[in-house]
Structure formats: structure tokens, C-alpha cells
Amino acid sequence: MAIGYQQQQLHIEQLSAQDLLQQYGSPCYVYSKAQLLTNLQAYQQAATGLDALICFAVKANSNLAVLQLFAAAGAGADVVSVGELQRALAAGFAANRIVYSGVGKTKTDMALALKAGILQFNVESIPELQRLSEVATALGLEAAIAIRVNPDVDAGTHEKIATGKAENKFGISWQQVEQVYALAAELPGIRIQGVDMHIGSQITDLAPYQAAFQRMLELVERLQALGHTIDTIDLGGGLGILYPDARQAVSIDDYMALVRQHFANKGCRLILEPGRSLAATAGVLLCQVEYVKQGPGKTFLILDAAMNDLLRPAMYGAVHAIWPVQLHPERASQRYDVVGPVCETGDTFSMGQTLPELAPGEAVAIGQAGAYGAVMASCYNTRALVPEVLVSGQQSALVRRRIEIEEQLSWDQMPDF
Ligand code: LLP
């Protein structure tokens, strides 16, 4: 366990959370290098013998230090903006291991990605395809594309992170797709390379994947029969992890077995785009209790971390583990509503959470925060932007400094009038 208790104290690898808080201040994100790599290796090992490229979904955690270690360990990258593309390149991902998804690519975005020489554009609409053709032709370049297919399956996840239903904005509808490939084959500057899907995130059941894979498999065969070259099959990401409220998680091994069962020996290169399942369990948000407030019938544990630091509970009603940094087996337990200081009722991490009694100044860790944590953080309420720390064994390094209030004030300007 890279993140767990040693002698009653929460550790990230060999360092105590308490010491890290002292050194880097509160709140701060801390990631375990070993856990990040273990998660990647789980995919890589399960993919042994398959021609598969594991492209980390950069949106889940785009810190350069995290990206760099995934790049060095042989991963590719899935990006959804040129900002992410620039991060991936800066972190050392070879351009030909980067795929680019997203429904709103601008001409400038396309030009940048074309010049960089990325592996694949995942195209989500006919106007995007036409625009990409124009941009590529003007540059005298060729865009390798996959059409993102919307397989119309219900991923059984939170409505804000489901993407594979017909009513979602993503991909080309199942019925339209052959037409779009026919158009792609005609357009200058476009080279059809593969097919793509991504049905949603925090998926905790294999059934939606099974349904979608079956459709993709049939589609690949149909497209090949129509004479299109299909060299890559991009299956997206979405594998869920075991948050405290998840009924179950799908194991990477079971997921990869399903991938193998459908797509091994098709002569195609497989592309996977996992984000959460690579990063979530490798991170914690460390923070402190500011106040214990007695309300009528309720006790509030007011932390110094808030929804601006970790948005998931406020945005999706997500539940994260909350761990005391120091265990005190002799203490009585208490039910708390764990909240942040931001002036919104939504700034609540957990309701009715049972924890050992805690006092102001004592430290708490919010678990499973390595994915969609720091990347979604903001300075809302003019709070400092939360820093990030990477731990490896007994070493730690600040990988993003805290952006303090003075610096934020300097971002604004007074007008002349
Ligand atoms: N590929 C594409 C095209 C995606 O849109 C996503 C995530 C992924 C891959 C990676 O999915 P993952 O393996 O991480 O599930 N902010 C939300 C999650 C949004 C996911 C958006 N797309 C959250 O905090 O739960």
C-alpha cells in the first residue's frame, strides 16, 4: 500500500502525512509515484501480447511531473485541448503517442496538433471533419483520423459524466457513421486510420463495455468490408474506482480480458484512454480541521480545504474517503458533516461521516484525490490555488507551488476610466 497507515500515522510511501503538511502547508495535494506507476503497470501487464497503447487521459491529472513519469514508463497521452497537448509534449510524450479528442477543436488547435505530428485526431462531427480537412490541406499536411462513434449504450454512471448515450453531445451517432467515413474518404488532407469510442467515466460494471465493444467490433468489420483502412481501435477510458459509495469497481484485469476477447487478433493497434483508474488512488488532499462547530443536532467539521480545491463532491455529489492523519484508537467516534469554508452549502465533503473525534489543528486526508482533483481546482472565494507534491520513497518534491493571494491580485488591472 503506497498510501496507508504505519504506526497509526497516515503515510504516503515512506513519508508521514503530518510531516508533509508541515513542510508544504495546508491544504495540499500529495501523489505517490509508486502508486501511479503500479496503476499503469496493471494495464501494461494485462495488455501483454496485445498491440495496445495506454494513453493517459491528461485531463485527470495534468501536472507535468505526473505526466513525465507516465511518459517515461511507456504510456501515451489522450488530450482534449491544445493546452493539454502542450503539457504532454513538454512532459516528454512523443507526438506520435498522443491522441486528441474533444467536440470543439478550433482551427488554431488543429494547426498546432497537425504541426506537432500527433498520432490521431478523434473527430466528433461532420463540420469538424470538414474543418480539419481545410486546415490540413492549407498546411500541406495530412490528418490521421478516427471517427468517435457514439454507440448509444448507458454507462450507468452519473449523468454529468455519461457520454455514450444518443442524447449526449459526443461522437457520431451509430446510424450516421458509415456516411461520415464515406465523406472522410473523399476529403483531401484526411487519412482514415481507425475508430474511436468513449462511453463515460466512473463506470463500475463491465456490461456497458461489453455492449459497446460488440458494436465497435461489428462496425470495424463493416467499415473494412467497405474498403476503409482501420488500423487503430480507440476504446476510450472510463474504468471506475472504488470510491466509498461505489458498489464495486471493475478490475483492470477483467476489463482487459474483455478487451482481449473482442479485439485481439484483429490486426489493429488498440488505444486505451484511462484517466481516473491511473491517477485517482495515487493522490490525497491533505488538510486541517479549522473549527468544530456544534449546530442543532449536528456537528460540523470545518476544514481548511474547500470545494475550490476539490470540486467533485459539490459538482457530482461524489463521495471521497476521509481519513484522520493520526489514528487515536482510544478516542470515541463522532458523526460529522465535513465541510469547507466556502460560502456555499454545496461546499460539503461528506454528510454524517463517522470519524474519531477531531480537534482544531488536527490533520485530515481526503482520499482518491489523484484524478480530477487539482486539475479542477480554482481560486474561487479568492483562495490560494492549492499546491501539489510528489512523493517517491523517502523523497518529496513540490511539483506545483501554491499560488498565493498577492500573485492573484497582480493578475487583475484597473481600467483608465
Ligand atoms: N477519453 C475521453 C475522450 C474522455 O472524455 C475522458 C474523460 C477519458 C478518456 C478518461 O476517462 P476516465 O478513464 O478518467 O474515466 N471530472 C469528472 C470526470 C470527467 C471525465 C471526462 N472525460 C469527475 O471528476 O468525475
Side-chain angles (χ1 to χ4, degrees):
M1 254 326 239
I3 299 177
Y5 288 96
Q6 296 172 27
Q7 280 127 27
Q8 320 271 29
Q9 296 220 29
L10 187 71
H11 279 67
I12 292 85
E13 303 200 21
Q14 299 312 312
L15 298 178
S16 90
Q18 192 65 58
D19 290 349
L20 287 162
L21 261 181
Q22 224 123 51
Q23 184 172 353
Y24 296 103
S26 180
C28 67
Y29 277 97
V30 181
Y31 311 126
S32 154
K33 177 175 174 179
Q35 190 63 54
L36 289 164
L37 290 176
T38 301
N39 294 345
L40 176 62
Q41 279 153 12
Y43 274 97
Q44 288 171 330
Q45 273 160 21
T48 307
L50 288 174
D51 180 10
L53 181 61
I54 316 296
C55 289
F56 175 56
V58 170
K59 65 164 77 67
N61 188 322
S62 58
N63 190 285
L64 288 180
V66 170
L67 297 182
Q68 183 180 43
L69 73 91
F70 280 145
D78 161 53
V79 302
V80 292
S81 69
V82 286
E84 288 188 356
L85 173 59
Q86 281 165 294
R87 281 183 177 275
L89 292 170
F93 287 97
N96 65 4
R97 296 170 83 80
I98 300 176
V99 297
Y100 183 8
S101 312
V103 296
K105 302 176 189 89
T106 67
K107 286 185 180 175
T108 326
D109 297 343
M110 290 171 172
L112 217 131
L114 278 164
K115 287 184 200 153
I118 62 164
L119 172 62
Q120 177 168 298
F121 287 84
N122 289 333
V123 173
E124 308 229 11
S125 68
I126 292 173
E128 180 191 338
L129 188 62
Q130 286 162 332
R131 180 185 281 184
L132 185 57
S133 165
E134 282 162 30
V135 175
T137 314
L139 289 171
L141 294 168
E142 194 176 54
I145 65 116
I147 301 293
R148 176 164 171 182
V149 182
N150 185 330
D152 193 18
V153 299
D154 186 351
T157 186
H158 190 281
E159 58 174 30
K160 285 193 180 143
I161 52 175
T163 52
K165 288 281 288 166
E167 69 253 32
N168 298 133
K169 73 180 174 187
F170 299 98
I172 301 273
S173 84
W174 188 237
Q175 293 81 358
Q176 245 191 327
V177 74
E178 287 175 22
Q179 247 173 286
V180 181
Y181 274 91
L183 173 65
E186 298 290 304
L187 286 174
I190 297 287
R191 179 168 58 81
I192 295 172
Q193 170 168 285
V195 292
D196 170 49
M197 64 167 250
H198 170 76
I199 56 173
S201 194
Q202 183 53 20
I203 298 172
T204 55
D205 187 353
L206 274 182
Y209 282 117
Q210 187 144 20
F213 287 179
Q214 195 53 45
R215 289 199 156 174
M216 290 301 275
L217 198 56
E218 288 162 20
L219 175 68
V220 169
E221 282 162 10
R222 274 205 325 267
L223 291 172
Q224 285 173 336
L226 288 167
H228 299 298
T229 308
I230 304 297
D231 287 331
T232 60
I233 303 177
D234 184 336
L235 298 172
L239 216 61
I241 63 134
L242 210 51
Y243 293 110
D245 63 335
R247 281 172 295 122
Q248 54 179 26
V250 175
S251 84
I252 291 172
D253 279 346
D254 290 349
Y255 169 80
M256 287 304 295
L258 193 72
V259 170
R260 193 180 289 275
Q261 185 190 323
H262 285 80
F263 302 104
N265 312 320
K266 291 285 162 230
C268 290
R269 182 177 213 197
L270 300 176
I271 298 172
L272 306 176
E273 302 173 352
R276 189 189 314 271
S277 49
L278 289 182
T281 56
V284 288
L285 174 61
L286 299 182
C287 56
Q288 285 178 344
V289 177
E290 233 16 88
Y291 293 101
V292 180
K293 172 173 171 176
Q294 215 55 60
K298 274 192 165 193
T299 308
F300 294 99
L301 199 65
I302 304 178
L303 304 178
D304 63 358
M307 62 186 282
N308 70 298
D309 304 305
L310 177 66
L311 185 59
R312 302 195 68 257
M315 179 126 173
Y316 313 108
V319 180
H320 286 249
I322 298 179
W323 298 308
V325 156
Q326 172 85 51
L327 289 180
H328 293 283
E330 74 288 355
R331 287 195 191 170
S333 56
Q334 166 77 266
R335 267 168 80 83
Y336 293 110
D337 277 11
V338 183
V339 302
V342 159
C343 295
E344 293 206 27
T345 303
D347 187 21
T348 298
F349 289 109
S350 181
M351 308 261 269
Q353 170 96 28
T354 303
L355 286 168
E357 267 180 0
L358 284 161
E362 291 186 322
V364 163
I366 302 182
Q368 302 104 20
Y372 305 112
V375 283
M376 295 175 75
S378 74
C379 304
Y380 184 42
N381 275 211
T382 305
R383 289 167 45 84
L385 186 64
V386 60
E388 296 170 84
V389 173
L390 184 66
V391 168
S392 176
Q394 298 186 336
Q395 292 178 286
S396 68
L398 186 66
V399 294
R400 175 182 288 167
R401 67 190 160 81
R402 190 184 306 277
I403 309 296
E404 300 286 4
I405 312 304
E406 301 72 50
E407 184 170 350
Q408 293 181 39
L409 295 193
S410 76
W411 293 344
D412 298 5
Q413 298 180 65
M414 308 288 189
D416 292 340
F417 48 89

